[in-house]
């Protein structure tokens, strides 16, 4: 065929094409183009958590995923990778499955019993508020656009079950909350770092980087619900500082009260940089302040490094591992400094939030990073993520 066209997929029946090709093809040849879903479900008491992620890399012919559980400092993870072309429209990798039950309302995350680790789960996410688009992520690494992607997040409840070592825990929407996000575009940290170009440090000496990404389901004493989304990034140098904020108060009817600034007063463990808690003051559009307390619920929280975020044991998202590859491990304690460095900082931390102005107490997922020097937080100049 002189002008190649991608294969036809069932989605090509719809009137939703965005480029002059089929849904088998994306609008760029960049090997870092990714479509990714990520989710967590947690018990409100912080005793147990599920983590899930799945990525599709059409320009790398790869579909990969992870499924994990965390109970206290222990984490057990199953990972899978396969050739995308072996089943291009399937969202399954070995025992790991993702299914949309009702668009923008209900999705299912499943890990079948497997030979890799003695964990399994079948979790359904049900939305409490509509999904919310975030600001576009656009980053450059020297002269290359290293990230150009969009993302939406959503907060809700979970139902189903989790099994660990033959013990089943029932998951009820009355006692469990869940968060999820879905992103697509050119993404950072996809595939092994290229060997034929200079390597750059994300955070040179003297540069501090701090962030949280935190969706949470809030409930008032009368049973009414809303959601908070708290997300900021802060880069700080001796003579320069830059902050970006994407945050809001999200209501079940789709209404959003924008938060225009977030002022953090957080504490981190200096040994492993785990979030210990603190307060984030939200500044509303009318200038009013809304202090939100973040309480960390013990040690439970899925470390995303084991899901290949920023790499794990020399492997990376989207890396070709063969037509089907499965692996995983159990880490008894993720807290020691040497283990924490291997796993990186970013973690689905199980937290409880208190919002006196909004009248709600809630539970959710706080992903923190505090890299580089933060003398006021007792953190020395250490660039590890």
């Amino acid at each position: 065929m002189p002008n190649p066209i991608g294969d036809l997929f069932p989605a090509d029946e719809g009137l939703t094409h965005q480029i002059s090709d089929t849904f088998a093809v994306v609008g760029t040849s960049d090997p870092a183009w990714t479509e990714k879903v990520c989710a967590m479900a947690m018990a409100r008491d912080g005793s147990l958590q599920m983590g899930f992620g799945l990525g599709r890399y059409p320009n790398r012919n790869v579909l990969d995923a992870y499924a994990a559980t965390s109970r206290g400092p222990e984490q057990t993870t199953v990972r899978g990778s396969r050739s995308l072309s072996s089943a291009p429209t399937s969202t399954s990798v070995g025992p790991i499955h993702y299914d949309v039950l009702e668009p923008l309302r209900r999705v299912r995350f499943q890990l079948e019993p497997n030979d890799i680790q003695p964990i399994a789960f079948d979790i359904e996410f049900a939305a409490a508020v509509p999904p919310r688009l975030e600001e576009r992520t656009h980053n450059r690494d020297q002269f290359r656009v290293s990230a150009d992607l969009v993302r939406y997040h959503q907060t809700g409840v979970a139902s189903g079950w989790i099994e660990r070592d033959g013990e089943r825990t029932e998951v009820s929407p009355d006692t469990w909350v869940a968060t999820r996000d879905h992103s697509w575009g050119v993404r950072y940290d996809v595939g092994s770092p290229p060997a034929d170009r200079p390597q750059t440090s994300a955070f040179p000496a003297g540069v501090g980087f701090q962030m949280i990404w935190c969706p949470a389901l809030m409930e008032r004493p009368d049973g009414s619900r809303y959601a908070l989304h708290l997300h900021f990034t802060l880069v700080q140098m001796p003579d320069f500082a830059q902050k970006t904020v994407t945050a809001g108060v999200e209501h079940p009817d789709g209404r959003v009260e924008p938060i225009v600034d977030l002022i953090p007063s957080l504490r981190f463990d200096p040994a492993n940089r785990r979030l210990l808690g603190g307060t984030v003051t939200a500044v509303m559009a009318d200038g009013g302040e809304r202090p939100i307390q973040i309480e960390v619920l013990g040690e439970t929280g899925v470390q995303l490094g084991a899901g290949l975020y920023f790499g794990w044991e020399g492997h990376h998202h989207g890396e070709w591992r063969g037509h089907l590859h499965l692996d995983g491990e159990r880490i008894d304690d993720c807290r020691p400094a040497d283990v924490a460095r291997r796993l990186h900082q970013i973690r689905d931390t199980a937290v409880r939030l208190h919002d006196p102005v909004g009248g709600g107490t809630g539970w959710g997922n706080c992903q923190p990073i505090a890299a580089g020097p933060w003398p006021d937080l007792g953190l020395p100049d250490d660039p590890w993520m």
Side-chain angles (χ1 to χ4, degrees), residues 53-378:
L54 182 142
R56 189 177 189 272
Y57 314 85
N59 294 334
R60 304 180 70 90
N61 190 27
V62 170
L63 187 82
D64 63 17
Y66 72 90
T69 64
S70 170
R71 185 188 292 277
E74 179 191 277
Q75 178 167 327
T76 307
T77 309
V78 175
R79 290 178 296 273
S81 176
R82 67 167 174 87
S83 63
L84 178 62
S85 58
S86 63
T89 62
S90 169
T91 50
S92 296
V93 185
I96 305 172
H97 308 281
Y98 169 74
D99 294 292
V100 177
L101 305 179
E102 181 183 350
L104 306 181
R105 288 288 307 166
R106 296 186 303 124
V107 293
R108 184 184 186 191
F109 309 99
Q110 186 179 18
L111 172 64
E112 294 178 332
N114 60 89
D115 297 329
I116 304 301
Q117 291 293 328
I119 61 171
F121 55 72
D122 192 342
I123 299 294
E124 180 179 322
F125 168 96
V129 294
R132 180 69 176 172
L133 280 166
E134 302 177 13
E135 292 294 327
R136 182 185 300 271
T137 298
H138 187 93
N139 298 331
R140 292 179 182 267
D141 179 1
Q142 297 174 331
F143 299 103
R144 175 179 176 267
V145 174
S146 59
D148 185 21
L149 59 89
V150 297
R151 175 188 292 106
Y152 66 81
H153 62 266
Q154 192 169 32
T155 304
V157 295
S159 59
W161 54 267
I162 296 175
E163 283 188 357
R164 299 172 69 261
D165 301 317
E167 177 185 347
R168 176 170 290 205
T169 299
E170 296 299 323
V171 173
S172 164
D174 296 329
T175 55
W176 282 66
V177 300
T179 67
R180 71 178 187 114
D181 69 85
H182 182 177
S183 62
W184 57 94
V186 174
R187 190 180 182 91
Y188 42 82
D189 190 46
V190 174
S192 300
D196 59 346
R197 58 160 289 180
Q199 297 302 308
T200 58
S201 171
F203 304 106
V207 176
F209 176 81
Q210 190 179 153
M211 67 148 269
I212 64 168
W213 182 86
C214 180
L217 176 64
M218 310 298 292
E219 290 187 351
R220 301 184 181 92
D222 64 4
S224 61
R225 289 175 169 172
Y226 60 102
L228 290 175
H229 177 242
L230 311 176
H231 177 40
F232 75 85
T233 62
L234 175 60
V235 178
Q236 184 169 289
M237 293 181 273
D239 56 352
F240 174 80
Q242 183 181 58
K243 181 195 284 186
T244 61
V245 174
T246 303
V249 183
E250 302 167 359
H251 297 276
D253 62 2
R255 183 170 50 92
V256 177
E257 299 175 70
I259 294 172
V260 299
D261 195 11
L262 292 169
I263 303 169
S265 179
L266 301 172
R267 295 174 290 108
F268 295 84
D269 186 322
N272 55 24
R273 303 219 174 184
R274 284 192 167 206
L275 178 68
L276 298 177
T279 300
V280 176
T281 300
V283 180
M284 309 305 292
D286 63 2
E289 294 190 350
R290 189 165 178 159
I292 298 165
Q293 181 187 353
I294 299 177
E295 176 188 358
V296 175
L297 295 173
E299 302 294 345
T300 297
V302 170
Q303 296 274 173
L304 299 187
L308 300 184
Y309 282 78
F310 303 115
W312 169 247
E313 306 292 50
H315 297 291
H316 298 266
H317 283 143
E319 177 185 349
W320 175 257
R321 304 295 300 275
H323 290 288
L324 178 63
H325 176 86
L326 300 173
D327 65 10
E329 67 284 308
R330 173 168 289 180
I331 301 173
D332 292 331
D333 192 340
C334 297
R335 295 171 297 181
D338 60 329
V339 180
R341 284 179 176 271
R342 290 167 53 212
L343 286 165
H344 315 297
Q345 290 187 39
I346 194 163
R347 168 174 172 256
D348 284 343
T349 310
V351 296
R352 179 161 49 221
L353 273 63
H354 302 277
D355 175 26
V357 173
T361 296
W363 305 264
N365 174 14
C366 189
Q367 296 180 356
I369 295 177
W374 293 96
D376 55 328
L377 303 180

